[in-house]
């Protein structure tokens, strides 16, 4: 409803779609571009420059609606698609700049919530479908994979594609960037951009890369749409305001819409289309639209109605996005400068991480072709932009004018006014329950805030970090998880402690606490001193005493000490540090965003430096503190986690996420932890072509939610990394180096039937060693409490898979296998001793067993480096419980 439906109306209306839509190929369009159509000075001739709104193109940039999007994200496939897509555009001389929405936008909070509610309904349908059929859900329920925006940001940065993040008003910043830099058009799927009328507007919904390596889409030609409506383009802003939007909502305009359409109740199916046509007819029939206040007074009945001001504000908002509005306020060009770097981003570190990345991806197999639809459409030239029309003043009463227009629209007898019809051309705040309680945060250091602003704009850090520093708000989106949380706890709640530690770091909670405690200690010490002096003053006898080598009365000396101590106390209290109880406002989906949850920061177990020192410190100790701060946020501050023999650099972030999950009791099962590790170590991870051909015989709800849990952990780890000054280089944070949703599901299914870790690793000894070493680092110092929930797919027959499931072991044998899972290790290495064990109850040995060298029989798990440790832990658990 409202302005959101406007572009859809243009595409579906048979008359408007004939004149207002044009199918074309961007590759051919770029080569047909002439110098007379304008060029960016810094770009080569005949280069087509486009701004892409990434928020509208998430599904397109992800690679399309291929079937396994629900499994947690096929990031190597996405990276390969983006590489081919942007290489194709580059070879065709099409320059692109991608915008990601990083703005908090409180005035659009209701729109954001409604989008999250729709996603929540899709999630319910997806999980219901998986429970019933066990097959990938249909594309009509497509939900962006968890973390897709962060992965997209990292992928574009890796591919050297210009990417930016909006800061305050996403739509205005995108269109402003286009006009300021002389771009030729934009690719998006948002009706507001139609109202802004960019030079050329291409539909993101129709964007596709074909087998012929052409990039096809459809162009929305707003000049032709205006002709089809017979509406002066300078009235599009008023039309958009009266349709309903984020400022003047549809509920605000419901009475006005009923006046225009008295029989609207009889047209429920066509209601949005009918309202659009009625509002267009109303606007085109007005004699003048110069006095918006008077027009609003007539529409809403009183000039004191708050909707009148809203109408004026929203009309101005849309006018500011147009070319005329931009010309009235042309921002001063900022000097181009290199991106601000943190102290951790040195040339040496970037070189090292780039070399590690090349070594990891050296054996990567690319896809031969990218799947798409074929087609070879000719392009149609866009119509010239409408010339600015000078509207002559008309002596018309806006109130009477509006009344006549309303009655004409209601009766169906509408005639466009001379000024309202298409002109002949000459040749040539968060509105949910907020309780008005705002977050309480300290003022960040100016240098920190400036750096955060620049890095946010350049999409070099997590967007949530800037909004936290400036407003203290964080919006947490709806995830692909069950409402009842029957299989897993609420995912956002699992990562609450991590977020609290991040808040503690960025707001210098340890420093503030230390300063406050030091002040209180000094005050208490002075108060005790004053009390002791007063007690001494009562006992003094008037004798002489030596003071600084001079004989003086004891009473005078005590009086002087008391006066001095009192002055120090007054001075200390005068300069007392500000008492602030820091509270962050978190918006969570579990109450449908009806109200926020206020969260206090947490400190780490050591003296964390200030955020300024973490970001800009250049000493070796500062580098170590940055990494330690990140590891502390992830509950991973252990020696083994920092040992690259146990955890390779590119798997550090993954292992930190898994260790954090393991510190939350009873979330993962042992084979599920193994499945994550085997996925990261598998050679199949880099074989994009093979992954594209892989077919999953079963997709389970638990597997889908585990992937969501992990990717949300990656998202939170990226936030923590940026908050701590980016100790982990961005190339080592890329999820395609350690995770693929489809591959993870296949490994999780294999965990059901595999007898040991060797089988899960396809008898690859090197992989077994890597998995064992990482598992040892993840569980170092923990007494893990694994979940007792049945393994995904272990005993759930789904339709056609019933016969396959009947061949599996029964649930008792499955649970026994799960309890023995830590013993699934590698074969005995030279120099290592395989040990047996014993079961002790109340100090008495009730059972014992000898060493197992593995391999023979169904129960022959291969003992190894992790086997003895896991087996002891497991049997201790069995004995204790």
């Amino acid at each position: 409803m409202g302005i959101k439906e406007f572009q859809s109306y243009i595409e579906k209306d048979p008359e408007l779609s004939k004149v207002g839509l044009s199918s074309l190929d961007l590759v051919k369009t770029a080569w047909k571009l002439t110098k007379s159509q304008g060029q960016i000075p810094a770009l080569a001739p005949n280069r087509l420059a486009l701004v892409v709104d990434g928020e509208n193109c998430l599904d397109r940039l992800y690679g399309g609606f291929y079937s396994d999007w629900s499994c947690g994200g096929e990031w190597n496939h996405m990276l390969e698609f983006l590489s081919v897509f942007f290489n194709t555009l580059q070879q065709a001389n099409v320059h692109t700049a991608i915008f990601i929405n990083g703005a908090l936008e409180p005035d659009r909070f209701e729109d954001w919530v409604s989008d999250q509610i729709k996603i929540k309904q899709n999630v319910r349908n997806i999980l219901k479908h998986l429970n019933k059929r066990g097959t990938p859900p249909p594309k009509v329920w497509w939900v962006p994979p968890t973390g897709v925006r962060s992965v997209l940001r990292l992928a574009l940065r890796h591919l050297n594609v210009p990417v930016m993040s909006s800061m305050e008003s996403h739509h205005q910043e995108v269109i402003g960037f286009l006009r300021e830099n002389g771009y030729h058009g934009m690719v998006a799927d948002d009706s507001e951009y139609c109202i802004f009328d960019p030079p050329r507007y291409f539909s993101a919904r129709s964007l596709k890369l074909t087998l012929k390596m052409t990039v096809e889409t459809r162009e929305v030609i707003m000049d032709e749409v205006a002709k089809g409506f017979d509406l002066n383009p300078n009235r599009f802003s008023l039309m958009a305001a009266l349709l309903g939007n984020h400022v003047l909502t549809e509920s605000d305009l419901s009475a006005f819409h009923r006046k225009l359409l008295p029989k609207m109740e009889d047209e429920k199916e066509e209601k949005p289309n009918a309202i659009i046509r009625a509002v267009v007819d109303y606007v085109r029939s007005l004699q003048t639209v110069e006095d918006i206040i008077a027009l609003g007074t007539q529409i809403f009945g009183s000039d004191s109605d708050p909707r009148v001001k809203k109408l004026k504000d929203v009309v101005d908002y849309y006018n500011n996005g147009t070319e005329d509005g931009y010309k009235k306020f042309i921002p001063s060009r900022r000097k181009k400068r290199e991106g601000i770097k943190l102290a951790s981003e040195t040339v040496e570190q970037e070189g090292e991480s780039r070399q590690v990345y090349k070594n990891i991806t050296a054996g990567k197999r690319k896809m031969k072709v990218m799947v798409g639809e074929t087609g070879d459409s000719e392009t149609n030239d866009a119509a010239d932009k409408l010339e600015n029309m000078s509207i002559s003043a008309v002596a018309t009463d806006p109130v009477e004018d509006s009344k006549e227009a309303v009655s004409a629209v209601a009766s169906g007898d509408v005639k466009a006014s001379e000024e309202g019809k298409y002109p002949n051309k000459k040749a040539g705040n968060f509105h949910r329950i907020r309780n008005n309680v705002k977050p309480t945060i300290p003022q960040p250091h100016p240098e920190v805030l400036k750096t955060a602003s620049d890095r946010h704009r350049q999409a070099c850090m997590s967007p949530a970090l800037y909004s936290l520093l400036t407003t203290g708000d964080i919006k947490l989106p709806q995830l692909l998880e069950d409402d009842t949380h029957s299989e897993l706890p609420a995912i956002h709640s699992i990562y609450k402690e991590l977020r609290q530690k991040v808040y503690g770091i960025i707001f210098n909670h340890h420093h503030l606490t230390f300063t406050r405690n030091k002040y209180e200690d000094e005050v208490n010490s002075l108060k005790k001193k004053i009390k002791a002096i007063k007690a001494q003053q009562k006992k003094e006898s008037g004798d002489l005493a030596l003071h600084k080598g001079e004989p003086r009365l004891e009473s005078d000396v005590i009086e002087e000490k008391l006066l001095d101590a009192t002055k120090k106390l007054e001075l200390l209290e005068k300069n007392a540090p500000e008492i602030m109880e820091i509270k962050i406002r978190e918006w969570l989906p579990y109450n449908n965003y009806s109200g926020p949850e206020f969260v206090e920061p947490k400190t780490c177990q050591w003296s964390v430096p200030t955020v300024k020192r973490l970001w800009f410190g250049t000493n070796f100790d500062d580098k170590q503190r940055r990494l330690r701060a990140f590891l502390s946020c992830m509950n991973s501050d252990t020696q083994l986690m920092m040992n690259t023999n146990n955890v390779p650099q590119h798997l550090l972030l993954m292992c930190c996420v898994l260790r954090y999950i393991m510190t939350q009791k009873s979330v993962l099962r042992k084979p599920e932890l193994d499945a994550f590790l085997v996925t990261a170590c598998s050679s199949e991870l880099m074989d994009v072509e093979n992954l594209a051909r892989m077919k999953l015989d079963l997709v389970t709800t638990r597997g889908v939610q585990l992937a969501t849990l992990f990717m949300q952990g990656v998202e939170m780890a990226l936030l923590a990394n940026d908050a701590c000054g980016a100790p982990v280089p961005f190339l080592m944070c890329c999820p395609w180096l350690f995770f693929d949703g489809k591959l993870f599901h296949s490994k999780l299914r294999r965990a059901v039937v595999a007898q040991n870790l060797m089988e899960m690793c396809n008898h690859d000894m090197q992989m077994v060693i890597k998995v064992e070493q990482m598992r040892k680092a993840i569980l170092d110092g923990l007494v893990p409490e694994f979940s007792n929930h049945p393994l995904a797919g272990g005993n759930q027959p789904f339709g056609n898979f019933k016969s396959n499931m009947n061949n599996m072991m029964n649930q008792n044998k499955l649970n026994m296998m799960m309890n023995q899972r830590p013993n699934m290790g590698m074969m005995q290495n030279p120099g290592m001793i395989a040990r047996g064990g014993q079961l002790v109850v109340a100090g008495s040995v009730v059972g014992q067993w000898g060493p197992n060298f593995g391999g023979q029989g169904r129960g022959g798990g291969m003992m190894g480096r992790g086997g003895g440790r896991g087996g002891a832990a497991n049997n201790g658990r069995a004995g204790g419980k």
Side-chain angles (χ1 to χ4, degrees):
M1 287 289 289
I3 188 61
K4 289 183 178 180
E5 300 294 330
F6 185 64
Q7 183 176 337
S8 178
Y9 175 79
I10 294 172
E11 294 173 348
K12 292 177 181 178
D13 186 84
E15 296 181 3
L16 288 177
S17 60
K18 286 181 182 179
V19 297
L21 293 179
S22 172
S23 298
L24 49 81
D25 173 19
L26 289 178
V27 174
K28 292 183 178 179
T29 302
W31 289 111
K32 289 183 178 181
L33 191 67
T34 62
K35 292 182 180 180
S36 61
Q37 289 174 285
Q39 294 293 334
I40 300 177
L43 300 178
N46 295 337
R47 175 171 261 192
L48 179 65
L50 301 174
V51 178
V52 180
D53 188 343
E55 288 298 310
N56 301 148
C57 303
L58 282 179
D59 57 324
R60 300 288 89 195
L61 296 177
Y62 179 66
F65 297 113
Y66 52 92
S67 62
D68 302 303
W69 50 266
S70 63
C71 295
E74 295 178 59
W75 306 124
N76 269 299
H77 187 287
M78 173 181 168
L79 180 69
E80 190 67 24
F81 171 80
L82 290 174
S83 177
V84 174
F85 179 73
F86 286 107
N87 280 339
T88 302
L89 291 177
Q90 187 177 7
Q91 291 171 7
N93 252 0
V94 179
H95 173 79
T96 55
I98 317 297
F99 258 89
I100 295 174
N101 190 352
L104 192 64
E105 296 188 305
D107 54 344
R108 293 182 182 268
F109 184 70
E110 289 293 334
D111 290 344
W112 182 79
V113 169
S114 64
D115 291 340
Q116 298 303 308
I117 298 298
K118 291 177 183 176
I119 291 175
K120 190 172 191 174
Q121 185 57 49
N122 284 347
V123 168
R124 288 172 180 163
N125 294 332
I126 290 168
L127 296 178
K128 184 178 178 181
H129 173 88
L130 293 176
N131 274 321
K132 185 177 180 181
R133 300 183 180 276
T135 58
K139 67 180 181 181
V140 70
W141 294 330
W142 191 82
V143 171
T146 304
V148 67
R149 291 171 177 83
S150 292
V151 181
L152 176 63
R153 178 172 57 84
L154 293 171
L156 295 174
R157 188 177 172 188
H158 168 59
L159 296 172
N160 292 320
V161 177
V163 55
M164 284 147 285
S165 181
S166 54
M167 301 188 68
E168 295 179 0
S169 177
H170 180 68
H171 295 80
Q172 289 284 0
E173 289 175 41
V174 172
I175 196 69
F177 177 86
L178 178 146
R179 299 195 190 282
E180 182 179 352
N181 294 279
Y183 277 59
H184 302 116
M186 70 183 310
V187 180
D189 187 23
D190 194 311
S191 300
E192 286 197 15
Y193 294 122
C194 296
I195 306 304
F196 292 152
D197 193 18
R200 302 186 73 169
Y201 180 66
F202 303 102
S203 171
R205 190 182 307 168
S206 305
L207 187 68
K208 57 191 174 190
L209 176 64
T210 69
L211 291 171
K212 294 183 179 180
M213 293 303 167
T214 60
V215 181
E216 295 183 354
T217 184
R218 291 199 296 179
E219 181 176 5
V220 181
I221 308 173
M222 287 305 296
D223 192 55
E224 296 297 331
V225 171
K227 287 181 181 178
F229 279 134
D230 192 20
L231 176 69
N232 193 322
N234 65 10
R235 297 194 176 192
F236 271 135
S237 296
L238 178 60
M239 179 208 71
L242 293 176
L243 283 176
N245 44 76
H246 64 286
V247 177
L248 192 63
T249 62
E250 293 168 65
S251 59
D252 291 336
L253 292 162
S254 57
F256 172 65
H257 291 163
R258 281 195 293 271
K259 287 182 182 178
L260 296 181
L261 292 171
K263 299 180 180 180
M264 187 168 58
E265 297 300 327
D266 300 332
E267 305 174 357
K268 290 183 179 179
E269 293 184 1
E270 298 296 326
K271 182 178 177 181
N273 295 346
I275 290 176
I276 290 174
R277 177 56 73 175
V279 170
V280 168
D281 289 342
Y282 169 78
V283 172
R284 62 195 282 266
S285 63
L286 294 173
Q287 295 296 325
T288 179
V289 292
E290 292 297 319
D291 193 346
I292 299 297
I293 298 296
L295 186 62
T297 301
Q298 192 283 322
I299 292 174
F300 301 117
S302 170
D303 58 355
S304 61
D305 193 309
R307 292 176 293 180
V308 175
K309 184 179 184 304
K310 287 184 179 181
L311 178 64
K312 179 70 167 63
D313 291 342
V314 77
V315 170
D316 290 342
Y317 169 83
Y318 287 124
N319 283 334
N320 290 339
T322 62
E323 188 174 11
D324 289 341
Y326 174 78
K327 288 177 179 178
K328 291 178 182 177
F329 177 70
I330 300 178
S332 58
R333 286 186 172 271
R334 293 184 294 268
K335 292 183 179 179
K336 293 185 178 180
R337 55 183 178 182
E338 295 183 2
I340 293 180
K341 294 186 177 183
L342 300 175
S344 61
E345 296 176 331
T346 61
V347 177
E348 292 80 3
Q349 187 195 51
E350 290 180 2
E352 289 175 6
S353 61
R354 199 167 280 123
Q355 187 59 46
V356 172
Y357 184 89
K358 288 181 180 178
N359 294 339
I360 297 166
T361 58
K364 185 174 181 179
R365 295 180 59 189
K366 297 184 178 181
M367 294 184 65
K368 295 180 181 178
V369 294
M370 303 301 293
V371 179
E373 298 181 27
T374 58
D376 188 13
S377 303
E378 293 294 333
T379 61
N380 294 325
D381 294 333
D384 295 335
K385 282 192 65 67
L386 197 65
E387 295 179 357
N388 295 329
M389 300 299 297
S390 56
I391 308 295
S392 56
V394 181
T396 308
D397 184 2
V399 175
E400 293 300 322
D401 183 22
S402 177
K403 287 180 179 178
E404 293 174 4
V406 170
S407 59
V409 172
S411 63
D413 184 20
V414 180
K415 292 183 180 180
S417 66
E418 287 300 316
E419 299 298 335
K421 66 182 181 181
Y422 185 86
N424 294 322
K425 286 188 178 182
K426 298 179 180 180
N429 281 325
F430 298 105
H431 302 294
R432 290 259 157 172
I433 302 172
R434 302 182 200 183
N435 303 324
N436 293 324
V437 180
K438 295 182 179 180
T440 308
I441 58 172
Q443 182 67 28
H445 191 278
E447 190 176 356
V448 169
L449 192 59
K450 180 176 180 294
T451 301
S453 172
D454 289 337
R455 290 179 64 79
H456 177 91
R457 185 181 293 109
Q458 297 156 10
C460 291
M461 72 178 191
S462 176
L465 194 56
Y466 180 73
S467 64
L468 281 170
L469 284 169
T470 53
T471 66
D473 275 294
I474 183 171
K475 296 188 299 187
L476 298 169
Q478 173 66 43
L479 301 176
L480 192 51
E481 60 177 329
D482 186 12
D483 282 348
T484 61
H485 309 297
S486 57
E487 296 185 353
L488 289 173
I491 294 178
H492 285 309
S493 299
I494 290 176
Y495 294 109
K496 180 178 179 179
E497 181 187 351
L498 190 159
R499 295 195 300 272
Q500 286 179 294
K501 290 184 177 180
V502 170
Y503 305 153
I505 286 175
I506 63 176
F507 295 120
N508 301 322
H509 190 244
H510 171 80
H511 179 71
L512 294 176
T513 304
F514 174 79
T515 304
R516 184 66 192 174
N517 291 340
K518 183 180 178 182
Y519 163 76
E520 289 176 354
D521 290 343
E522 290 179 354
V523 169
N524 291 334
S525 177
L526 279 173
K527 285 182 178 179
K528 288 180 181 178
K529 185 177 179 180
I530 291 173
K531 186 177 181 181
I533 293 173
K534 287 182 178 179
Q536 186 181 0
Q537 192 177 34
K538 291 179 180 179
K539 296 179 182 178
E540 65 89 15
S541 59
D543 298 335
L544 290 175
L546 285 175
H547 179 66
K548 295 181 181 180
E550 296 179 3
R552 296 182 61 186
L553 286 174
E554 188 176 355
S555 58
D556 294 343
V557 173
I558 293 175
E559 187 68 30
E560 187 177 331
K561 288 181 179 180
L562 181 61
L563 184 61
D564 184 53
T566 305
K567 285 183 178 179
K568 285 183 178 180
L569 181 61
E570 290 176 354
L571 183 63
L572 200 60
E573 290 178 341
K574 184 179 180 181
N575 297 321
E578 183 181 359
I579 301 175
M580 177 178 290
E581 188 178 354
I582 301 174
K583 288 187 177 180
I584 313 301
R585 192 164 57 178
E586 292 186 342
W587 296 90
L588 297 163
Y590 306 123
N591 62 354
N592 289 333
Y593 303 100
S594 59
E597 180 179 337
F598 287 89
V599 178
E600 295 182 357
K602 279 188 176 181
T603 56
C604 300
Q605 300 301 317
W606 58 287
S607 301
V608 182
T610 63
V611 68
K612 181 184 177 184
R613 184 69 180 269
L614 284 174
W615 285 20
F616 307 119
T618 56
N619 297 333
F620 177 77
D621 288 343
D622 295 324
K623 179 180 178 181
Q624 296 297 318
R625 291 190 187 104
R626 276 191 286 270
L627 182 57
R628 189 181 178 190
F630 168 70
L631 294 176
S632 297
C633 289
M634 305 300 298
N635 294 342
S636 302
D637 188 11
T638 64
Q639 289 297 323
L640 286 182
M641 195 62 73
M642 291 187 284
N643 187 347
T644 54
N645 292 327
N646 288 83
V647 181
Q649 188 180 7
H650 69 286
L651 300 180
L652 175 62
L653 189 128
M654 178 203 73
C655 289
C656 287
V657 171
L658 292 175
R659 180 177 171 87
Y660 181 88
I661 295 173
M662 292 307 302
T663 60
Q664 312 300 307
K665 306 301 182 183
S666 302
V667 177
L668 288 184
R669 298 204 65 159
K670 299 182 187 74
E672 292 166 349
L673 175 61
D674 287 344
F676 281 113
L677 298 176
V678 172
T679 299
C681 296
S682 175
S683 58
E684 299 171 85
L685 184 63
M686 296 298 168
D687 191 348
V688 182
E689 187 175 354
N690 181 58
L691 285 175
R693 289 196 304 263
M694 180 188 294
K695 299 294 182 183
L696 295 176
D697 61 344
L698 180 65
V699 181
T700 63
T701 55
R702 183 165 176 86
V704 166
Q705 292 181 83
L706 285 174
T708 302
L709 169 69
F710 176 76
M711 282 309 303
Q712 182 62 20
V714 171
E715 183 86 355
M716 292 294 100
L718 292 173
L719 173 65
N721 187 53
D722 290 329
C724 297
V728 183
F730 94 91
L731 278 177
M732 299 296 100
C733 296
C734 299
W736 57 83
L737 296 179
F738 50 77
F739 185 75
D740 180 273
K742 189 192 288 188
L743 182 60
F744 168 70
H745 274 68
S746 71
K747 298 301 180 185
L748 197 60
R749 293 281 293 129
R750 187 171 179 81
V752 177
V753 295
Q755 295 302 304
N756 48 45
L757 186 57
M758 180 68 80
E759 256 187 67
M760 280 190 69
C761 296
N762 297 322
H763 302 280
D764 184 342
M765 182 58 64
Q766 293 299 321
M767 190 191 303
V768 174
I769 295 172
K770 290 178 182 178
V771 171
E772 289 281 6
Q773 292 286 67
M774 285 192 291
R775 186 169 62 185
K776 182 180 178 182
I778 290 170
L779 300 179
D780 181 33
L782 298 179
V783 181
E785 292 185 16
F786 290 101
S787 171
N788 291 321
H789 193 280
L791 187 66
N795 63 339
Q796 306 172 27
F798 292 97
N800 296 332
F801 304 105
K802 188 173 182 178
S803 60
N804 294 336
M805 304 304 292
N806 288 335
N807 294 330
M808 298 181 184
M809 63 188 68
N810 59 37
Q811 187 60 36
N812 290 335
K813 289 184 179 180
L814 177 64
N815 286 337
M816 185 181 298
M817 182 188 74
M818 294 304 104
N819 290 333
Q820 293 173 350
R821 185 64 50 156
N823 292 334
M824 298 195 316
M826 58 184 175
M827 292 183 64
Q828 192 68 28
N829 280 343
M832 295 198 66
I833 301 172
R835 301 178 180 177
Q838 60 185 14
L839 179 61
V840 180
V841 177
S844 301
V845 178
V846 298
Q848 58 185 4
W849 55 92
N852 185 350
F853 293 97
Q856 291 83 15
R858 293 180 61 84
M862 297 184 181
M863 295 292 293
R865 205 176 295 184
R869 175 181 50 77
N874 182 61
N875 285 290
R877 174 181 166 86
K881 295 187 179 181

